[in-house]
Coordinates of all heavy atoms in Angstrom, one line a residue:
A1 N -70.0 -82.9 19.7 CA -71.0 -82.3 18.8 C -71.8 -81.2 19.4 O -72.5 -80.4 18.7 CB -71.9 -83.4 18.2
T2 N -71.7 -81.1 20.8 CA -72.5 -80.1 21.5 C -71.7 -78.9 21.9 O -72.2 -77.9 22.4 CB -73.1 -80.7 22.8 OG1 -72.1 -80.9 23.7 CG2 -73.9 -81.9 22.5
I3 N -70.4 -78.8 21.6 CA -69.6 -77.7 21.9 C -70.0 -76.5 21.1 O -70.1 -76.5 19.9 CB -68.1 -78.0 21.7 CG1 -67.6 -79.1 22.6 CG2 -67.2 -76.7 21.9 CD1 -66.2 -79.5 22.3
A4 N -70.4 -75.4 21.8 CA -70.8 -74.2 21.1 C -69.8 -73.7 20.1 O -68.6 -73.7 20.3 CB -71.1 -73.1 22.1
G5 N -70.3 -73.3 18.9 CA -69.5 -72.8 17.8 C -68.7 -73.9 17.1 O -67.7 -73.6 16.4
S6 N -69.1 -75.1 17.3 CA -68.3 -76.3 16.8 C -69.3 -77.3 16.2 O -70.4 -77.4 16.7 CB -67.4 -76.9 17.8 OG -66.6 -75.9 18.4
R7 N -68.7 -78.1 15.3 CA -69.5 -79.3 14.9 C -68.6 -80.4 14.6 O -67.5 -80.2 14.0 CB -70.4 -79.0 13.7 CG -69.8 -78.7 12.4 CD -70.8 -78.3 11.4 NE -70.2 -78.0 10.1 CZ -70.0 -78.8 9.1 NH1 -70.6 -80.0 9.2 NH2 -69.4 -78.5 8.0
L8 N -69.0 -81.6 14.9 CA -68.2 -82.8 14.6 C -68.4 -83.1 13.1 O -69.5 -83.3 12.7 CB -68.7 -84.0 15.5 CG -68.0 -85.3 15.3 CD1 -66.5 -85.2 15.8 CD2 -68.7 -86.4 16.1
V9 N -67.3 -83.2 12.4 CA -67.4 -83.5 11.0 C -66.9 -84.9 10.5 O -67.3 -85.4 9.5 CB -66.7 -82.4 10.1 CG1 -67.4 -81.1 10.3 CG2 -65.2 -82.3 10.5
K10 N -66.1 -85.5 11.4 CA -65.6 -86.9 11.1 C -65.2 -87.5 12.4 O -64.8 -86.8 13.3 CB -64.4 -86.9 10.2 CG -64.6 -87.0 8.8 CD -63.3 -87.2 8.0 CE -63.6 -87.2 6.5 NZ -62.4 -87.1 5.7
R11 N -65.3 -88.9 12.4 CA -64.8 -89.6 13.6 C -64.2 -90.9 13.1 O -64.6 -91.5 12.1 CB -66.0 -89.9 14.5 CG -67.2 -90.5 13.9 CD -68.1 -91.1 14.9 NE -67.5 -92.3 15.5 CZ -68.0 -93.0 16.5 NH1 -69.1 -92.6 17.1 NH2 -67.4 -94.1 17.0
S12 N -63.2 -91.3 13.8 CA -62.6 -92.6 13.5 C -63.3 -93.8 14.2 O -64.2 -93.6 15.0 CB -61.1 -92.6 14.0 OG -61.1 -92.7 15.4
S13 N -62.8 -94.9 13.8 CA -63.2 -96.2 14.5 C -62.6 -96.1 15.9 O -61.8 -95.2 16.2 CB -62.6 -97.4 13.8 OG -63.1 -97.4 12.5
L14 N -63.0 -97.1 16.7 CA -62.4 -97.2 18.1 C -61.2 -98.2 18.0 O -61.3 -99.2 17.2 CB -63.4 -97.7 19.1 CG -64.7 -96.9 19.2 CD1 -65.6 -97.5 20.4 CD2 -64.4 -95.4 19.5
Y15 N -60.2 -97.9 18.8 CA -59.0 -98.8 18.8 C -58.6 -99.1 20.2 O -58.7 -98.3 21.1 CB -57.8 -98.0 18.1 CG -58.0 -97.8 16.7 CD1 -58.8 -96.7 16.2 CD2 -57.5 -98.7 15.7 CE1 -59.0 -96.5 14.9 CE2 -57.7 -98.4 14.4 CZ -58.4 -97.3 13.9 OH -58.6 -97.1 12.6
R16 N -58.2 -100.4 20.4 CA -57.7 -100.8 21.7 C -56.2 -100.7 21.7 O -55.6 -101.2 20.8 CB -58.1 -102.2 22.1 CG -57.7 -102.7 23.4 CD -58.0 -104.2 23.7 NE -59.2 -104.7 23.1 CZ -60.4 -104.5 23.6 NH1 -60.6 -103.9 24.7 NH2 -61.5 -105.1 22.9
T17 N -55.6 -100.1 22.7 CA -54.2 -100.0 22.8 C -53.7 -100.2 24.2 O -54.4 -99.9 25.2 CB -53.7 -98.6 22.3 OG1 -54.3 -97.6 23.2 CG2 -54.1 -98.3 20.9
A18 N -52.4 -100.6 24.4 CA -51.8 -100.7 25.7 C -51.5 -99.4 26.2 O -51.3 -98.4 25.5 CB -50.6 -101.6 25.6
P19 N -51.5 -99.2 27.6 CA -51.1 -97.9 28.1 C -49.7 -97.5 27.9 O -48.8 -98.4 27.7 CB -51.4 -98.1 29.6 CG -51.4 -99.6 29.9 CD -51.8 -100.2 28.6
V20 N -49.4 -96.2 27.8 CA -48.1 -95.7 27.6 C -47.7 -95.0 28.9 O -48.5 -94.3 29.5 CB -48.0 -94.7 26.4 CG1 -46.7 -94.1 26.3 CG2 -48.4 -95.5 25.1
G21 N -46.5 -95.1 29.3 CA -46.0 -94.4 30.5 C -46.2 -95.3 31.7 O -45.5 -96.3 32.0
F22 N -47.3 -95.1 32.4 CA -47.7 -95.9 33.6 C -48.4 -97.2 33.0 O -49.5 -97.1 32.6 CB -48.6 -95.1 34.5 CG -49.1 -95.9 35.7 CD1 -48.2 -96.4 36.7 CD2 -50.4 -96.2 35.9 CE1 -48.7 -97.1 37.8 CE2 -50.9 -96.9 37.0 CZ -50.0 -97.3 37.9
A23 N -47.7 -98.3 33.1 CA -48.2 -99.6 32.4 C -49.2 -100.4 33.3 O -49.9 -101.2 32.7 CB -47.0 -100.4 32.0
D24 N -49.2 -100.2 34.6 CA -50.0 -101.0 35.5 C -51.5 -100.5 35.5 O -51.9 -100.0 36.6 CB -49.4 -101.1 36.9 CG -50.1 -102.1 37.8 OD1 -50.8 -103.0 37.3 OD2 -50.0 -101.9 39.0
Q25 N -52.2 -100.6 34.4 CA -53.5 -100.1 34.3 C -54.2 -100.8 33.1 O -53.5 -101.4 32.3 CB -53.6 -98.6 34.2 CG -52.9 -98.0 32.9 CD -53.0 -96.5 32.9 OE1 -54.0 -95.9 33.1 NE2 -51.8 -95.9 32.5
P26 N -55.5 -100.7 33.0 CA -56.2 -101.4 31.9 C -55.8 -100.8 30.5 O -55.4 -99.6 30.4 CB -57.7 -101.1 32.2 CG -57.8 -100.7 33.6 CD -56.4 -100.1 33.9
D27 N -56.0 -101.6 29.5 CA -55.9 -101.1 28.1 C -56.8 -99.9 27.9 O -57.8 -99.7 28.5 CB -56.2 -102.1 27.1 CG -55.0 -103.2 26.9 OD1 -54.0 -103.0 27.5 OD2 -55.3 -104.2 26.3
F28 N -56.4 -99.1 26.9 CA -57.2 -97.9 26.5 C -58.1 -98.2 25.3 O -57.7 -99.0 24.4 CB -56.3 -96.7 26.2 CG -55.9 -95.9 27.4 CD1 -54.8 -96.4 28.2 CD2 -56.6 -94.8 27.8 CE1 -54.4 -95.7 29.3 CE2 -56.2 -94.1 28.9 CZ -55.1 -94.5 29.7
I29 N -59.2 -97.5 25.2 CA -59.9 -97.3 23.9 C -59.6 -95.9 23.4 O -59.7 -95.0 24.2 CB -61.4 -97.6 24.1 CG1 -61.7 -98.9 24.7 CG2 -62.1 -97.3 22.8 CD1 -61.2 -100.1 23.8

C-alpha cells in the first residue's frame, strides 16, 4: 500500500502450502 503511484485494492486470505521444488524447508504462507 506504500508503493508510490500504487494502491492496494484487494487482498486474499492467507493460505498454508507445502514447498515446491526444494522440499526440505518449512511450509509457506
